Amino acid sequence: MDLANKVAIITGAARGIGKTLATGLLAKGVKVCISDINEELVTSTGQSLATTYGEQNVIFAVCDVRNEEQFKNVFQVTKNKFKRVDIVINNAGVADEENWGKVVDVNLKGSILGTQLAAEALRKDRGGHGGIVVNMCSLLGVQPSSILPVYSASKYGVFGLTKSFAEMPEMKENGVKFTCLCPGAIDTEMITDNIQQMRKKFFGDTSLMSTDVMREALFKLLNDTDNNGEGLIVNQVDPDQHMKYFNSK
Ligand SMILES: NC(=O)C1=CN([C@@H]2O[C@H](COP(=O)(O)OP(=O)(O)OC[C@H]3O[C@@H](n4cnc5c(N)ncnc54)[C@H](O)[C@@H]3O)[C@@H](O)[C@H]2O)C=CC1
Ligand SMILES: CCCCCC(=O)/C=C/C=C\C=C\C=C\[C@@H](O)[C@@H](O)CCCC(=O)O
């Protein structure tokens, strides 16, 4: 994808992987709306990005991806400010097996809502310009986890959602592609918050990847023009899988 004059929306981007993807896109000249449920953090991150990359290139909005009105508002403020949307990254996610209803609501229902709204905003027959939806899946969306069964189920759902939208004839006809990223363990607070309870049990000695690898993976997705409906595995721990497409057909 030619990134000149393009506009991106990223959810859950106040920190972690979402924030890294935002900086990567901004550095390439893409205008970005970051959104997050955490008002204080999205405000400070948004202001910091605006200082670095220019106020004309960055907006931020509070949005809980479980809340349809807040999610619609993100698309509205982005179109008001930048006049278009080309890239939507449904990144917001949580890992909390004890509160598994929240995991389903944020990871799966939030991605469903974000994918539906993105499809409407991007499709050419509804005033869009075509574009790409990038859903944040996980390695645990393509392989099971006995330790994180609900998290894994939510991410398998994200993969199915992505593939299914990619197969819709009306999406192909209107220039909208759907892809997902499937990373292994990345060094963010999602992992370190849980590290005392979970890391020994789950990750063993697995070393954490830097968020930088996610920027690289996003640009591979955006550049690979024939990718539609596939998931890009990001797993430096296994060089045979790393940066390879996974097709669950
Ligand atoms: N860190 C990792 O090892 C991996 C993470 N992922 C996925 O990547 C995505 C980002 O994760 P990280 O950056 O690691 O996590 P993180 O916890 O550092 O960041 C997640 C962000 O999402 C926001 N958020 C949480 N609930 C939300 C909601 N209901 N609505 C809007 N925003 C919400 C949080 O406030 C936070 O800013 C998630 O979907 C996660 O499942 C996938 C594979 C590996
Ligand atoms: C707090 C946890 C957040 C999880 C975030 C996520 O999506 C991360 C995935 C990361 C790595 C996956 C590693 C898989 C390792 C397996 O090959 C095996 O070593 C562990 C299997 C244990 C199990 O049954 O779950």
Side-chain angles (χ1 to χ4, degrees):
M1 175 186 253
D2 175 8
L3 294 177
N5 302 313
K6 295 297 193 292
V7 174
I9 288 172
I10 313 176
T11 67
R15 71 181 196 192
I17 293 170
K19 180 180 173 184
T20 297
L21 300 183
T23 60
L25 289 170
L26 284 161
K28 298 262 185 194
V30 176
K31 295 174 172 44
V32 173
C33 172
I34 63 162
S35 67
D36 202 284
I37 192 174
N38 185 328
E39 180 171 7
E40 195 180 335
L41 200 55
V42 79
T43 303
S44 61
T45 299
Q47 287 172 343
S48 159
L49 293 177
T51 302
T52 307
Y53 296 100
E55 289 192 356
Q56 69 282 12
N57 297 318
V58 183
I59 54 172
F60 55 91
V62 177
C63 170
D64 179 341
V65 294
R66 296 167 292 184
N67 182 317
E68 186 166 0
E69 288 315 305
Q70 289 181 7
F71 219 150
K72 283 182 174 167
N73 179 59
V74 169
F75 282 83
Q76 198 54 59
V77 295
T78 304
K79 283 194 264 186
N80 289 349
K81 168 86 174 177
F82 299 132
K83 312 298 175 212
R84 58 188 290 149
V85 183
D86 307 280
I87 301 164
V88 177
I89 306 179
N90 288 305
N91 167 74
V94 293
D96 182 357
E97 294 293 312
E98 282 69 45
N99 195 356
W100 61 264
K102 182 179 177 187
V103 173
V104 175
D105 285 347
V106 176
N107 297 6
L108 184 53
K109 288 169 80 174
S111 297
I112 292 171
L113 192 49
T115 300
Q116 290 173 336
L117 292 173
E120 282 298 303
L122 268 48
R123 54 189 290 176
K124 290 179 182 170
D125 63 348
R126 304 276 159 86
H129 300 84
I132 184 164
V133 180
V134 179
N135 287 330
M136 189 56 67
C137 189
S138 166
L139 202 52
L140 305 185
V142 298
Q143 67 179 53
S145 169
S146 59
I147 309 293
L148 298 169
V150 177
Y151 180 83
S152 178
S154 73
K155 294 298 186 178
Y156 268 78
V158 168
F159 205 123
L161 174 79
T162 306
K163 287 193 72 67
S164 300
F165 266 80
E167 302 230 331
M168 291 179 187
E170 67 269 32
M171 293 301 156
K172 293 179 185 168
E173 285 158 17
N174 285 290
V176 190
K177 295 199 307 171
F178 299 83
T179 61
C180 58
L181 289 165
C182 305
I186 307 281
D187 189 6
T188 70
E189 288 176 66
M190 173 178 274
I191 300 284
T192 51
D193 278 354
N194 288 284
I195 211 158
Q196 299 308 332
Q197 305 93 299
M198 306 201 61
R199 191 172 179 195
K200 277 203 169 59
K201 203 161 61 162
F202 178 57
F203 295 111
D205 291 329
T206 302
S207 56
L208 302 178
M209 292 179 279
S210 158
T211 54
D212 292 346
V213 74
M214 296 304 293
R215 211 185 281 127
E216 197 190 317
L218 175 65
F219 289 128
K220 177 169 170 57
L221 266 191
L222 297 178
N223 286 332
D224 288 350
T225 48
D226 55 352
N227 170 32
N228 187 33
E230 294 178 355
L232 184 62
I233 305 280
V234 185
N235 187 17
Q236 289 169 324
V237 175
D238 180 354
D240 289 341
Q241 282 187 317
H242 186 51
M243 295 293 180
K244 304 267 167 61
Y245 285 103
F246 180 87
N247 193 328
S248 65
K249 245 181 215 166

